[in-house]
Amino acid sequence: MKPPASEERQGGPDAVAAPGPAAPPALSAEPVKKPPGQGGRRSFGMRLDVRNLSLLGVLAALIVVGGITKPDQFLDTNNLQLVLTQASVIGVVTVGMTFVITSGGIDLSVGAIVALASVWATTLATQEFGFAGILFTAVVVGLACGLVNGVLIAYGGMVPFIATLAMLASARGLALMITDGKTQIVTVTSVLDLGVPDSYVLGIPPLVLVFAAVTVVGWLILNRTTFGRRTVAVGGNPEAARLAGIDVRRQRLYLYLFSGLCCGIAAFLLVILAGSGQNTNGNLYELDAIAAAIIGGTLLSGGRGTIVGSVLGVLVFTTITNIFALNNLQSDVQQIAKGAIIVAAVLVQRRTARNGEV
């Protein structure tokens, strides 16, 4: 029996088709879907813009609240300068914290490192070397603490939470040992002069200018350098980053060194602001820095960070603290409000991640 013409042309029902030109795809009315990741940068940028605009809206609302509740005090130029000055100290710490969280880590020791650096930099022996001695000591102590954290985490295999918690306890204890529970008064005139209005540049306190410089440098490093891209890669997927040729351990060491450097700079700013060194300095700075970074858009699990959002988060928290203080509200209410904001920010992040928007 003669096979059908179609089977005869194809060599029979069991024959393998010879290789040939592929048939053109059939036309479809369905729109062509873009491959995953295409247009991601633009949509990611839009999400960041929306988040930053939201924070600006919150900040504007707080300013309105402060202006309504205490118009004469809150909107006073001196008070606004004070808000920016106070934001500068925790803001510098938050820049370093943003890098650490972006890499998938955490640093609970930033407040204790600020305390240790501030008291070590204000001892009588250090103050004999003047301005340079205080600045140098604060920075070196911050870097040393960051180095210990980095070595324990990157090369010692310790969990960041445990390693930095141990540093928190150790640094606080050492700060208490140095001061013996007493306040160390700064007598170096060149340091104290930076905190008086005569040193302001166009009405801007020097501490705010330092904070602005650290913010700009941090933004450039995170967004315009290979170091920043490696930080994001390590936070997103450490194993994939390792396979791509990134030295994950060295990168983490550098990140904790950077965090320690920021703590040292913040300690110096705090010495200028307070005119003294105390073992209680930097209390709960870790809470404020983590909270500011999270509500600013830095992903707690790593892989995404934003310096601009973190700075806006710092301004939001500092403004809240200032409004509470002007209205004579208790500090415990402030901490409850900050805790609620952190929980809300994390829940928003989880919902965003569940919806596939991260």
Side-chain angles (χ1 to χ4, degrees):
M1 181 177 179
K2 187 176 180 180
S6 60
E7 292 186 4
E8 185 177 10
R9 287 194 300 269
Q10 298 175 8
D14 299 326
V16 177
L27 297 178
S28 174
E30 297 182 358
V32 179
K33 296 182 178 180
K34 293 182 179 181
Q38 186 171 346
R41 178 174 297 182
R42 178 177 300 178
S43 59
F44 176 68
M46 291 175 63
R47 288 197 299 274
L48 287 183
D49 290 341
V50 171
R51 186 177 293 111
N52 291 340
L53 288 175
S54 300
L55 286 175
L56 284 173
V58 172
L59 186 59
L62 289 173
I63 293 175
V64 171
V65 171
I68 293 175
T69 57
K70 294 289 182 179
D72 296 335
Q73 300 178 38
F74 180 78
L75 298 178
D76 183 71
T77 302
N78 293 331
N79 183 65
L80 295 179
Q81 290 174 338
L82 176 62
V83 171
L84 292 176
T85 303
Q86 292 175 339
S88 299
V89 180
I90 185 61
V92 172
V93 175
T94 303
V95 171
M97 182 69 78
T98 300
F99 276 83
V100 171
I101 296 179
T102 301
S103 70
I106 198 73
D107 192 347
L108 301 179
S109 63
V110 290
I113 294 176
V114 169
L116 178 60
S118 68
V119 300
W120 207 322
T122 54
T123 59
L124 294 176
T126 303
Q127 292 192 50
E128 291 180 357
F129 295 94
F131 183 97
I134 294 176
L135 175 59
F136 177 79
T137 303
V139 171
V140 168
V141 171
L143 283 172
C145 293
L147 177 63
V148 173
N149 281 337
V151 170
L152 291 177
I153 293 168
Y155 295 95
M158 292 187 67
V159 178
F161 181 90
I162 301 299
T164 57
L165 185 63
M167 175 58 71
L168 183 155
S170 301
R172 284 290 179 192
L174 185 55
L176 179 61
M177 182 185 298
I178 293 174
T179 61
D180 195 22
K182 301 176 182 178
T183 300
Q184 299 179 162
I185 304 299
V186 177
T187 58
V188 180
T189 305
S190 56
V191 173
L192 298 175
D193 287 344
L194 293 176
V196 300
D198 291 341
S199 65
Y200 291 3
V201 180
L202 299 177
I204 303 176
L207 278 69
V208 178
L209 296 177
V210 173
F211 174 36
V214 172
T215 299
V216 171
V217 172
W219 185 90
L220 290 175
I221 293 176
L222 186 60
N223 296 280
R224 294 291 184 267
T225 66
T226 303
F227 184 86
R229 290 191 290 271
R230 288 175 178 173
T231 300
V232 175
V234 169
N237 191 327
E239 182 61 20
R242 186 187 66 82
L243 294 176
I246 298 175
D247 191 332
V248 176
R249 293 189 299 178
R250 185 172 60 185
Q251 184 71 16
R252 285 175 173 162
L253 173 62
Y254 289 161
L255 289 167
Y256 282 95
L257 273 173
F258 183 72
S259 178
L261 172 63
C262 289
C263 290
I265 297 174
F268 181 71
L269 298 182
L270 188 58
V271 168
I272 296 173
L273 182 62
S276 63
Q278 304 178 51
N279 65 288
T280 56
N281 284 342
N283 188 33
L284 294 180
Y285 272 20
E286 55 277 356
L287 170 64
D288 292 340
I290 294 172
I294 292 174
I295 70 170
T298 299
L299 195 61
L300 190 58
S301 58
R304 187 187 73 200
T306 163
I307 298 296
V308 175
S310 296
V311 170
L312 291 175
V314 169
L315 293 176
V316 167
F317 277 118
T318 308
T319 305
I320 290 175
T321 301
N322 184 259
I323 292 174
F324 279 28
L326 291 177
N327 287 275
N328 297 319
L329 296 176
Q330 299 296 326
S331 59
D332 53 355
V333 180
Q334 299 179 30
Q335 301 305 326
I336 293 173
K338 291 179 180 180
I341 292 175
I342 296 173
V343 172
V346 172
L347 290 177
V348 169
Q349 284 191 358
R350 290 175 61 87
R351 182 176 180 180
T352 303
R354 192 161 49 244
N355 293 337
E357 298 178 6
V358 176

